[in-house]
Amino acid sequence: MDRYAVLGQPVGHSKSPRIHAAFAASLDQKLLYEAYEIAPDELGPSLSRFHAEGWAGFNLTVPHKLAGAALCESRSDAAEQAGAVNTLIRTTSGWHGDNTDGAGLVRDLIANLGVEIRGKRVLVLGAGGAARGILAPLLAEGPAELAISNRNPWKPEEIAAALKPLGNIVPRTHLSLKGDRYDLVLNATSAGHAGAIPRLPPKLFADGGVAYDLNYGQAAVPFMVWAKADGAARVSDGLGMLVEQAAEAFRRWRGVRPETAAVLAGLRG
Ligand code: ATR
């Protein structure tokens, strides 16, 4: 039986084993998917050992996405553009790194939530690994404007310069957003894990504007509450993105994309 796992620290809260078990059951596939707590300095040796043991693939979560990219013998375009990997696919001699986070987000926005990106003004908050992973897939959807704003004002400049070959990303600071309106504001900061939100000027949402937090559970609550009070017409957490990125990983491993609606409904229920 093919073996897979999510590697992270902490990883005990991960919903990935449940999601992949549901995908496998829905397609009548037999596989094993586990969760392993791995410290950062153990990632390299662990991946070598897992390869020798015959494991078929891994998902990487916090804090391994950046370091994991360097440990892969090859990487997809999505992984190169994100500078991070969340999915490892076994090769004969090592691991191929891919990144399905951005594809998962775009799929959740467009297919599940019916949120348009093409021709819209889109703002990404945060400039860490989570933000970086979604910018190229968002650009590919053809927004009228894609802006990125961060607490540390230098990081958006660096990211915009690095992704310049892919398209125009407008680097902003939180303060400079005053007076601007966006159709879609994505919170890719980790502030919510500390119960906080980025310090933003008020009235950030255009009419019908949507707020989306890449986090889910408690970590998404502060931003969603703020966004509603600020005038967002709709707010969503990132649980759908989690399920969709998992479906994309499953497709890369197993060659078939599972249906996600029932799995997402089950997690929400
Ligand atoms: P991740 O991989 O989840 O993106 P990260 O690389 O550590 O994690 O990045 C965290 C992001 O959240 C950064 O953009 C960080 O802003 P800084 O670059 O200024 O540190 C942002 N962030 C974290 N806590 C925040 C807070 N309380 N207010 C605003 N931004 C915050």
Side-chain angles (χ1 to χ4, degrees):
M1 197 179 330
D2 287 341
R3 286 179 293 171
Y4 304 85
V6 55
L7 310 179
Q9 189 181 51
V11 81
H13 67 283
S14 174
K15 296 186 191 300
S16 292
R18 184 173 160 196
I19 293 169
H20 282 282
F23 288 162
S26 72
L27 291 163
D28 213 13
Q29 293 202 5
K30 301 265 174 291
L31 58 83
L32 198 71
Y33 189 108
E34 299 181 323
Y36 283 117
E37 178 130 356
I38 302 278
D41 60 353
E42 289 171 21
L43 184 63
S46 299
L47 286 175
S48 300
R49 195 181 69 244
F50 287 135
H51 194 275
E53 291 172 1
W55 288 66
F58 291 95
N59 285 131
L60 300 185
T61 187
V62 175
H64 298 318
K65 291 185 185 185
L66 296 177
L71 294 169
C72 292
E73 61 172 21
S74 59
R75 279 167 296 276
S76 68
D77 287 350
E80 295 286 2
Q81 288 154 4
V85 296
N86 76 335
T87 302
L88 304 188
I89 302 147
R90 183 187 180 81
T91 67
T92 47
S93 51
W95 300 103
H96 175 72
D98 206 339
N99 194 316
T100 65
D101 283 333
L105 169 71
V106 166
R107 178 93 177 198
D108 190 38
L109 285 169
I110 295 175
N112 296 342
L113 299 170
V115 173
E116 271 204 77
I117 301 171
R118 186 163 306 279
K120 300 294 181 184
R121 300 193 73 208
V122 180
L123 171 66
V124 172
L125 303 171
R132 178 128 190 176
I134 63 172
L135 290 168
L138 286 170
L139 264 183
E141 295 302 320
E145 179 185 325
L146 180 59
I148 174 171
S149 179
N150 190 51
R151 181 176 60 183
N152 171 336
W154 302 112
K155 289 189 194 170
E157 303 263 358
E158 289 169 13
I159 291 176
L163 295 183
K164 189 80 199 157
L166 299 178
N168 194 36
I169 297 174
V170 186
R172 302 292 302 266
T173 62
H174 291 348
L175 194 64
S176 78
L177 294 170
K178 193 165 186 296
D180 281 346
R181 304 271 179 279
Y182 290 90
D183 301 302
L184 174 61
V185 180
L186 298 142
N187 182 25
T189 76
S190 56
H193 290 284
I197 51 165
R199 294 186 61 182
L200 299 163
K203 301 206 171 64
L204 207 49
F205 294 91
D207 284 350
V210 176
Y212 188 102
D213 198 314
L214 270 63
N215 299 291
Y216 59 86
Q218 272 308 113
V221 171
F223 178 71
M224 292 199 300
V225 168
W226 174 83
K228 231 177 205 155
D230 193 57
R234 291 168 67 193
V235 302
S236 177
D237 72 358
L239 194 61
M241 174 181 172
L242 180 77
V243 174
E244 297 297 342
Q245 65 76 28
E248 286 296 323
F250 193 98
R251 182 169 71 78
R252 282 156 176 75
W253 292 327
R254 314 290 300 177
V256 49
R257 193 181 204 280
E259 291 290 330
T260 52
V263 177
L264 181 53
L267 289 176
R268 291 235 184 264

